[in-house]
Amino acid sequence: MAQLRIALAQTNPTVGDLDGNADKLVAWTRRAADRGAHLAVFTEMFLTGYPVEDLVLRTSFVDASIAAIEEVALRLDREGLGDLPVVVGYVDRAGLAPRVGQPKGAPLDAAALLHRGRVVARTAKHHLPNYGVFDEYRYFVRGDRLPIFRLHGVDVAVAVCEDLWQDGGPVAVVGQAGAGLLVVPNASPYEKEKDDIRLELCARRAREAGSALVYVNQVGGQDELVFDGDSLVVDARGELVARAAQFREELLVCDLDLPVSSAGTGSFPYDAGDGTTITVDRLVLSDDPLPAYEPEPPSVAEPLDTVAEVYEALVLSVRDYVAKNGFESVILGLSGGIDSALTATIAADAIGPSRVHVVLMPSRYSSEHSLSDAQDLVRRQGLRAQVVPIAEIVTSFEKEIELSGLASENLQARVRGMILMGLSNQHGHLVLTTGNKSELATGYSTLYGDSAGGFAPIKDVPKLMVWELSRWRNAGGDPSFRLQVDEPIPPNSITKEPSAELRPDQRDTDSLPPYEVLDKLLDDYVEKDMGSRELIAAGHDPALVARVIRLVDLAEYKRRQYPPGPKITPKNFGRDRRLPITNRWRETT
Amino acid sequence: MAQLRIALAQTNPTVGDLDGNADKLVAWTRRAADRGAHLAVFTEMFLTGYPVEDLVLRTSFVDASIAAIEEVALRLDREGLGDLPVVVGYVDRAGLAPRVGQPKGAPLDAAALLHRGRVVARTAKHHLPNYGVFDEYRYFVRGDRLPIFRLHGVDVAVAVCEDLWQDGGPVAVVGQAGAGLLVVPNASPYEKEKDDIRLELCARRAREAGSALVYVNQVGGQDELVFDGDSLVVDARGELVARAAQFREELLVCDLDLPVSSAGTGSFPYDAGDGTTITVDRLVLSDDPLPAYEPEPPSVAEPLDTVAEVYEALVLSVRDYVAKNGFESVILGLSGGIDSALTATIAADAIGPSRVHVVLMPSRYSSEHSLSDAQDLVRRQGLRAQVVPIAEIVTSFEKEIELSGLASENLQARVRGMILMGLSNQHGHLVLTTGNKSELATGYSTLYGDSAGGFAPIKDVPKLMVWELSRWRNAGGDPSFRLQVDEPIPPNSITKEPSAELRPDQRDTDSLPPYEVLDKLLDDYVEKDMGSRELIAAGHDPALVARVIRLVDLAEYKRRQYPPGPKITPKNFGRDRRLPITNRWRETT
């Protein structure tokens, strides 16, 4: 057996910021060297950030990524870090002839091994995910090479992210070819309670590959995704050895005892067990095991419980959306209800209360406690607040056009949306919307009204979870939050009955079933794609099933209304060309 | 050689309307029988409509499709049409065990051969497109069977749509296995001048397969896509034999002389030349050639020229969006400018002027000709018009919040958007937006203002093409249009200089380069994904390249602002669950 100290760089890159990410690569490699590491492993596409979406179809962007990986290898060497091998993700290209349907330029979701100023090995993701939030058949072609490099006597293989999730492919080939360690750069988005699945997966794949496994995951918010880190190391039997924290950057250092190899070098084809052939490229950096040294005790972070985990995800996503998109401040409407109270609190935790601007917009239907609960929250947190009554603006519309019922309720929501957008345009604040998942799913929201805004922190949070998060936050929070006050949310906002207050004495339960019933049904219908018969068989009330399906489908229809329009050229805006929202790469630079 | 009369059913199905599409299948099969056809071929996924997007992930929907294909086979037989073989697309499932990333239920983009009350052969698309408007790796698994059935002595193979566009796969297997005729159901969206590419492709594939080729394409608007038909028949040398019109339903009947086969029956594996194996299923419906009969003279429609083609695409897309989504009327703002004038005219051509409601919304910055040009258009076309001045509403906002510059310009656009949305909510009209592609691409548009609406007929039409379409329409039009007046568009709206009129003496050229320059640059940057160096090398002015790239990227960013939000569950609204906008299938029925 031979010892190796691996440094897992659980970092937060920014999409398109090739220079900034390269700076971070150098800084974190230095930290790894200072900790005595023998190998540093960064995340998937760390150098470009992930996901880069349609940027990858731009020739100039792929050129820039390839140039950047060569340059950073040289720079590491110049800065005295060349002897520490670094595995890092970037974008490369396969050099295939163009054909119909192949992404322009045949890009690869690649990883490189940097050593002594050179890129000494390259690989690329073999299994391309194209489900859930992933559209990678649109962006990449599959890799078909697996590097295995000898480091101080130990054979180290490199695979990328999805290659762990699918049967066959690189992991199966590691099992045949043999390696002491498999390192895997990832950009695996956070999902509620995904940490449990991830550990089980890594353990299973380690046993299948017959090698220890190092899983390094991105952390940070990126557009509508948030990455939780949770990097980990398991041994060849699948036992957890070390684990990083969730939702923060961390250099996780881990000492491993690994088998020594004396396999030859060269390139060898293997049947990947998925109908393809993968070529193993064997090379040697150093054959001799290290002299024995005292290992550091392994660091094993405790995973967060579910509510804490979700709250941390929301805070991080707001913080990074604001920072990575260059905003200084946010603005939102504060109604006195729990959704806007929680959204404001998350924002204050993310960027500090002095950068959170709130607007109280009472109407003729606002109850007394609405304004007083909102003012109570402003006082508790020290937010920047202003009051803009909407009654006279609403009246000015009603003088020109006759509106009643729902059209009149929507008008009030839209006047509020216009006030926020106007202040945003005037002062440069990012507008946060405050709708939760239960009401967005059922269409309990006004197009161009309360849904108007730049970021929707709780759009994926069901109403019951909104209350849970609020109670969790009032009970404590986290020392890293920028807002440090006790009980930041007015208890009355948590306990009172929810209402949109768009007509006299309105209650959510006038239009919707109780949230205890609704949230479960929405989860089964929307997340699990169950049909009506399945839903009824699962115990949901048949009349309610019919009603909620109608609400959800109608709401989805309305959300999709704009921007459809006919297609007359091969691409059109809104669907085909999809640049990341946060993107620091500029075509003109 | 043996004769066969093929009927190509170039039809307009509605997504999710299984009953309506089945009725149409029966009616058109009867028409084919009445014309003496020996084989009727319908379009890809005709029974379900195309594209069905996330509906296909619902077990109940796939069940319904499979039940519907069996039922319609029986019904054809009951109605005396069982002897006429019918090839038609529907959705089936592959029956694979679930695995990570595989679409739920492993759906197939299938086609069936119906004969004498039974489904006698099934196939499914082998090549799944996942580029441009297609996301089929998300929705389907690939088919691996190719039926070849003997009909009156002729071997007829069946492949589906994308199988024509890719090398290898079913067409290559037909070339090896041998068949007299290859029939291909399609749902191939319209693109400008795609008809030329399509004919060339069919000719090439016919030569490759060594067989005549029948290409049947869907027609009609479906959400943001429009299908142009243009069904055609080529012989084994690739010569055009028959061709249907664009943008209308047509039963194209074509007599062919085809080689007689005596190959045996059974199932045989073939190397598909793309790394996969395809199994050919040979069966016999009828071995004996037909007695000689007098063929009908082939019908060969002349393709439309480019401007006519685009105009017809826009009219059809509006007509079908309105009808398939159950609207009775549309509403739009009429400024006196050319974009709203053209949009109103397209709408009047599509659904008739009495169902087109227009609102004239003068502001303090509107010039005199704006109102008079708009009124002139109303008079020429007989639209339903009302005037709603916005000055006092704008003032009521300005009393409450201080806005200047762009924020104040946006306010005016948003007040207009709210008036249209209010009237839409009150009266049920579909709001049409009037932005063209050049201004949407460059962000010359207000979020929640002029961009607020349900359908954007000219969103993919560059400004120069807006003028071309207007001149084309004023020069004549088409006898099928619902609006039949001479010169429907006021000439002054076509010839005057474009302006948004959101501040005094504003002109488009204050903020944008001349459209002659801009439209070419946008095409190179957005459609062709050229980088800045490529753009400059192509002759564009470097300063303008930098400026337009900045405008376009910023506009895309703004368009994508809502609804991002963090992801905490495996799916979230707006991205993952994507039901077609037009959808007649109801989970609860």
Side-chain angles (χ1 to χ4, degrees):
Chain A
M1 301 296 271
Q3 284 180 288
L4 276 186
R5 178 170 294 174
I6 317 294
L8 291 75
Q10 176 173 304
T11 44
N12 187 349
T14 297
V15 159
D17 191 4
L18 296 170
D19 292 341
N21 297 335
D23 288 347
K24 194 167 230 176
L25 178 83
V26 173
W28 282 61
T29 301
R30 178 165 293 117
R31 289 180 57 192
D34 291 347
R35 295 280 299 273
H38 308 114
L39 174 65
V41 185
F42 287 78
T43 57
E44 180 182 9
M45 284 174 58
F46 172 79
L47 202 58
T48 56
Y50 183 94
V52 296
E53 301 187 305
D54 284 16
L55 282 181
V56 86
L57 305 178
R58 199 80 58 76
T59 304
S60 46
F61 181 77
V62 179
D63 287 344
S65 169
I66 293 169
I69 197 79
E70 306 278 356
E71 167 53 32
V72 82
L74 287 168
R75 183 172 157 199
L76 286 168
D77 200 45
R78 277 200 308 274
E79 303 200 14
L81 298 164
D83 281 340
L84 174 56
V86 171
V87 171
V88 58
Y90 71 111
V91 171
D92 206 325
R93 62 166 61 91
L96 303 174
R99 59 168 184 74
V100 176
Q102 180 176 279
K104 186 187 170 194
L108 292 167
D109 180 344
L113 171 64
L114 313 182
H115 191 232
R116 296 187 179 155
R118 289 177 46 238
V119 178
V120 295
R122 298 174 197 255
T123 183
K125 186 153 66 178
H126 178 75
H127 291 296
L128 301 175
N130 203 81
Y131 56 91
V133 299
F134 306 109
D135 285 299
E136 296 201 353
Y137 275 99
R138 184 175 285 276
Y139 296 127
F140 298 108
V141 298
R142 62 163 59 199
D144 55 5
R145 303 196 84 87
L146 175 75
I148 301 182
F149 62 95
R150 180 111 12 99
L151 177 63
H152 300 303
V154 177
D155 280 343
V156 182
V158 184
V160 181
C161 198
E162 185 75 7
D163 292 341
L164 278 185
W165 294 83
Q166 302 289 339
D167 290 331
V171 176
V173 170
V174 173
Q176 297 172 61
L181 177 64
L182 170 60
V183 301
V184 188
N186 297 268
S188 174
Y190 170 66
E191 292 172 17
K192 193 151 60 81
E193 294 158 7
K194 195 177 188 178
D195 46 356
D196 307 329
I197 298 167
R198 210 178 258 150
L199 174 57
E200 191 279 324
L201 175 76
C202 288
R204 182 155 55 89
R205 294 305 184 194
R207 288 190 294 267
E208 185 183 332
S211 73
L213 193 154
V214 162
Y215 174 99
V216 191
N217 194 23
Q218 178 168 321
V219 70
Q222 184 64 49
D223 299 357
E224 58 260 85
L225 301 179
V226 58
F227 298 85
D228 60 330
D230 188 35
S231 301
L232 54 87
V233 180
V234 295
D235 65 22
R237 291 161 311 165
E239 298 296 323
L240 181 66
V241 177
R243 188 167 205 165
Q246 288 174 280
F247 304 109
R248 55 203 66 186
E249 293 191 311
E250 179 175 340
L251 187 76
L252 178 68
V253 171
C254 178
D255 283 301
L256 292 169
D257 264 320
L258 300 166
V260 172
S261 164
S262 57
T265 58
S267 292
F268 311 93
Y270 283 83
D271 179 343
D274 62 352
T276 70
T277 300
I278 287 180
T279 302
V280 171
D281 298 313
R282 288 189 173 274
L283 64 157
V284 174
L285 299 188
S286 47
D287 256 323
D288 295 333
L290 291 161
Y293 65 86
E294 187 60 32
E296 288 196 10
S299 165
V300 183
E302 199 58 44
L304 298 168
D305 73 34
T306 300
V307 180
E309 188 186 270
V310 170
Y311 198 95
E312 298 276 357
L314 300 177
V315 169
L316 181 57
S317 68
V318 170
R319 182 182 296 149
D320 277 357
Y321 195 92
V322 169
K324 291 184 178 181
N325 288 299
F327 288 97
E328 296 293 328
S329 53
V330 300
I331 190 168
L332 68 151
L334 210 60
S335 72
I338 190 57
D339 296 324
S340 59
L342 177 64
T343 304
T345 310
I346 290 166
D349 283 335
I351 61 171
S354 64
R355 295 161 68 197
V356 178
H357 297 251
V358 294
V359 189
L360 286 61
M361 295 176 279
S363 77
R364 61 184 84 142
Y365 304 122
S366 295
S367 55
E368 217 167 285
H369 61 75
S370 294
L371 204 58
S372 64
D373 288 341
Q375 283 165 334
D376 186 9
L377 184 136
V378 169
R379 271 193 307 271
R380 285 165 185 257
Q381 305 194 6
L383 308 177
R384 306 293 169 94
Q386 72 185 103
V387 179
V388 180
I390 66 166
E392 292 195 18
I393 302 175
V394 170
T395 304
S396 75
F397 274 99
E398 289 172 343
K399 274 186 200 155
E400 301 289 353
I401 53 174
E402 214 180 294
L403 301 179
S404 58
L406 206 56
S408 158
E409 293 184 33
N410 285 337
L411 174 64
Q412 298 167 62
R414 289 189 183 121
V415 166
R416 291 187 173 119
M418 288 181 65
I419 289 168
L420 294 173
M421 288 303 297
L423 293 169
S424 163
N425 290 159
Q426 187 75 20
H427 303 291
H429 313 304
L430 170 69
V431 178
L432 299 183
T433 66
T434 62
N436 66 63
K437 184 167 188 159
S438 308
E439 65 184 25
L440 290 174
T442 50
Y444 204 56
S445 166
T446 298
L447 267 177
Y448 317 124
D450 54 288
S451 70
F455 197 70
I458 60 169
K459 84 155 166 72
D460 203 27
V461 181
K463 186 78 176 191
L464 292 181
M465 176 65 82
V466 167
W467 282 309
E468 276 194 272
L469 291 168
S470 301
R471 286 188 296 263
W472 178 87
R473 181 62 185 88
N474 265 7
D478 180 311
S480 75
F481 293 160
R482 305 280 158 84
L483 178 72
Q484 288 293 336
V485 299
D486 287 340
E487 209 171 53
I489 302 173
N492 194 45
S493 292
I494 304 179
T495 52
K496 71 183 175 184
E497 198 182 343
S499 162
E501 297 197 332
L502 293 169
R503 60 173 189 264
D505 295 321
Q506 189 177 24
R507 293 286 173 273
D508 285 15
T509 45
D510 299 345
S511 322
L512 294 175
Y515 287 109
E516 288 72 16
V517 174
L518 179 65
D519 282 1
K520 177 76 180 69
L521 178 50
L522 288 174
D523 191 61
D524 284 346
Y525 182 54
V526 177
E527 304 301 332
K528 302 197 175 72
D529 260 328
M530 287 165 69
S532 58
R533 262 180 304 182
E534 290 170 283
L535 291 167
I536 292 164
H540 297 287
D541 174 64
L544 191 63
V545 165
R547 182 164 151 234
V548 166
I549 285 176
R550 196 178 49 76
L551 286 172
V552 170
D553 287 1
L554 188 65
E556 288 187 2
Y557 163 67
K558 286 190 177 161
R559 254 194 303 281
R560 287 204 56 193
Q561 275 196 321
Y562 193 80
K567 176 164 200 59
I568 62 162
T569 48
K571 298 189 169 190
N572 59 5
F573 302 116
R575 176 62 195 89
D576 287 0
R577 193 160 183 279
R578 195 173 160 90
L579 301 187
I581 297 167
T582 305
N583 166 29
R584 294 289 173 79
W585 184 73
R586 292 289 171 260
E587 180 59 57
T588 42
T589 56
Chain B
M1 302 295 273
Q3 283 180 290
L4 275 186
R5 177 170 293 174
I6 317 293
L8 291 76
Q10 175 174 302
T11 45
N12 187 348
T14 297
V15 159
D17 190 3
L18 296 170
D19 291 341
N21 297 336
D23 288 346
K24 193 168 230 175
L25 177 85
V26 173
W28 282 61
T29 302
R30 179 164 293 118
R31 288 180 57 192
D34 291 346
R35 294 280 299 274
H38 309 113
L39 174 65
V41 186
F42 287 78
T43 58
E44 180 180 9
M45 284 175 57
F46 173 79
L47 202 59
T48 56
Y50 182 96
V52 296
E53 301 188 299
D54 284 15
L55 282 181
V56 84
L57 305 177
R58 199 81 57 76
T59 306
S60 47
F61 180 75
V62 180
D63 287 344
S65 169
I66 294 169
I69 197 80
E70 306 279 356
E71 167 53 32
V72 81
L74 289 169
R75 183 172 157 201
L76 286 169
D77 201 45
R78 278 200 308 273
E79 302 200 13
L81 298 163
D83 281 339
L84 174 56
V86 170
V87 172
V88 58
Y90 71 110
V91 171
D92 207 325
R93 61 166 60 93
L96 303 174
R99 59 168 185 78
V100 176
Q102 179 176 279
K104 186 187 171 196
L108 292 167
D109 180 344
L113 171 64
L114 313 182
H115 192 232
R116 296 186 181 156
R118 290 175 46 237
V119 178
V120 295
R122 298 173 198 255
T123 184
K125 186 152 67 178
H126 178 75
H127 291 295
L128 300 175
N130 204 80
Y131 55 92
V133 298
F134 305 108
D135 284 299
E136 295 201 353
Y137 275 98
R138 183 174 285 276
Y139 296 126
F140 297 107
V141 298
R142 62 163 60 199
D144 56 5
R145 304 196 83 87
L146 175 75
I148 301 182
F149 62 93
R150 181 112 9 102
L151 177 63
H152 300 303
V154 178
D155 279 344
V156 182
V158 184
V160 180
C161 199
E162 186 74 5
D163 292 341
L164 278 186
W165 293 83
Q166 303 289 338
D167 290 331
V171 176
V173 171
V174 172
Q176 297 171 62
L181 177 65
L182 170 60
V183 301
V184 188
N186 296 268
S188 174
Y190 171 65
E191 293 171 14
K192 192 151 62 78
E193 294 158 7
K194 194 177 190 179
D195 45 358
D196 307 329
I197 299 167
R198 207 177 261 150
L199 173 57
E200 192 279 324
L201 175 75
C202 288
R204 183 156 55 88
R205 294 305 184 195
R207 288 190 296 266
E208 185 184 333
S211 72
L213 194 155
V214 161
Y215 175 99
V216 191
N217 193 23
Q218 179 169 319
V219 70
Q222 184 64 48
D223 299 357
E224 59 260 86
L225 301 179
V226 58
F227 298 84
D228 60 330
D230 188 34
S231 301
L232 53 87
V233 180
V234 294
D235 63 24
R237 289 161 311 163
E239 299 294 324
L240 181 66
V241 176
R243 187 166 206 166
Q246 288 174 280
F247 303 110
R248 54 203 66 187
E249 294 192 310
E250 179 175 341
L251 187 76
L252 179 67
V253 171
C254 177
D255 284 301
L256 292 169
D257 264 318
L258 300 165
V260 173
S261 164
S262 56
T265 58
S267 294
F268 311 93
Y270 283 83
D271 179 343
D274 63 351
T276 69
T277 299
I278 287 180
T279 302
V280 171
D281 297 314
R282 289 190 172 273
L283 62 156
V284 173
L285 299 188
S286 46
D287 254 322
D288 296 330
L290 291 161
Y293 64 86
E294 187 61 32
E296 287 195 12
S299 165
V300 183
E302 199 58 42
L304 298 168
D305 73 35
T306 300
V307 180
E309 189 185 270
V310 170
Y311 198 94
E312 299 275 356
L314 300 177
V315 169
L316 181 57
S317 68
V318 171
R319 181 182 297 150
D320 277 356
Y321 195 92
V322 170
K324 291 183 178 181
N325 287 299
F327 287 97
E328 297 293 328
S329 52
V330 300
I331 190 167
L332 68 151
L334 210 60
S335 71
I338 190 58
D339 296 324
S340 60
L342 177 64
T343 305
T345 309
I346 289 165
D349 283 336
I351 62 172
S354 64
R355 295 160 68 195
V356 177
H357 297 250
V358 294
V359 189
L360 288 60
M361 295 176 280
S363 78
R364 59 186 84 144
Y365 304 121
S366 296
S367 55
E368 215 168 286
H369 61 75
S370 295
L371 203 59
S372 64
D373 289 341
Q375 283 165 335
D376 185 9
L377 184 136
V378 169
R379 270 192 307 271
R380 285 166 186 256
Q381 304 194 6
L383 308 178
R384 306 291 169 97
Q386 70 185 104
V387 179
V388 181
I390 66 166
E392 291 195 19
I393 303 174
V394 171
T395 304
S396 75
F397 274 99
E398 290 173 342
K399 275 187 201 154
E400 301 288 354
I401 53 174
E402 214 180 294
L403 301 178
S404 58
L406 206 56
S408 157
E409 293 185 31
N410 284 337
L411 174 64
Q412 297 167 62
R414 290 190 183 120
V415 166
R416 290 188 174 118
M418 288 181 64
I419 289 168
L420 293 174
M421 288 303 297
L423 293 169
S424 163
N425 290 159
Q426 187 74 22
H427 302 291
H429 313 304
L430 170 69
V431 178
L432 299 183
T433 65
T434 62
N436 65 64
K437 183 167 189 161
S438 308
E439 66 184 25
L440 291 174
T442 51
Y444 204 57
S445 167
T446 298
L447 268 177
Y448 316 124
D450 54 289
S451 68
F455 197 71
I458 61 170
K459 85 156 165 70
D460 202 26
V461 181
K463 187 78 176 191
L464 292 180
M465 176 66 83
V466 167
W467 281 309
E468 276 194 90
L469 292 168
S470 301
R471 285 189 296 263
W472 178 87
R473 181 62 184 90
N474 264 8
D478 180 312
S480 76
F481 293 161
R482 304 281 157 86
L483 178 71
Q484 289 293 337
V485 299
D486 288 340
E487 209 170 54
I489 301 173
N492 194 46
S493 291
I494 303 180
T495 52
K496 72 183 174 185
E497 200 183 341
S499 163
E501 297 197 332
L502 293 170
R503 59 172 188 266
D505 296 323
Q506 189 177 25
R507 293 284 174 274
D508 285 15
T509 45
D510 299 347
S511 321
L512 294 175
Y515 287 108
E516 287 72 17
V517 174
L518 179 64
D519 281 1
K520 177 76 179 68
L521 178 51
L522 288 174
D523 190 61
D524 284 346
Y525 183 53
V526 177
E527 303 301 331
K528 301 197 175 73
D529 259 328
M530 287 165 70
S532 59
R533 262 180 305 182
E534 291 170 282
L535 291 167
I536 293 164
H540 297 287
D541 174 63
L544 190 64
V545 165
R547 183 165 151 234
V548 167
I549 284 176
R550 196 178 49 76
L551 286 172
V552 170
D553 287 1
L554 187 65
E556 287 186 3
Y557 163 67
K558 287 190 178 162
R559 255 193 303 280
R560 286 203 57 193
Q561 276 195 322
Y562 195 82
K567 175 163 201 60
I568 63 162
T569 49
K571 298 191 170 189
N572 61 5
F573 302 116
R575 176 62 196 89
D576 287 1
R577 193 159 184 280
R578 196 174 159 89
L579 300 187
I581 298 167
T582 305
N583 166 28
R584 295 287 173 80
W585 184 74
R586 291 289 171 261
E587 181 58 55
T588 42
T589 56

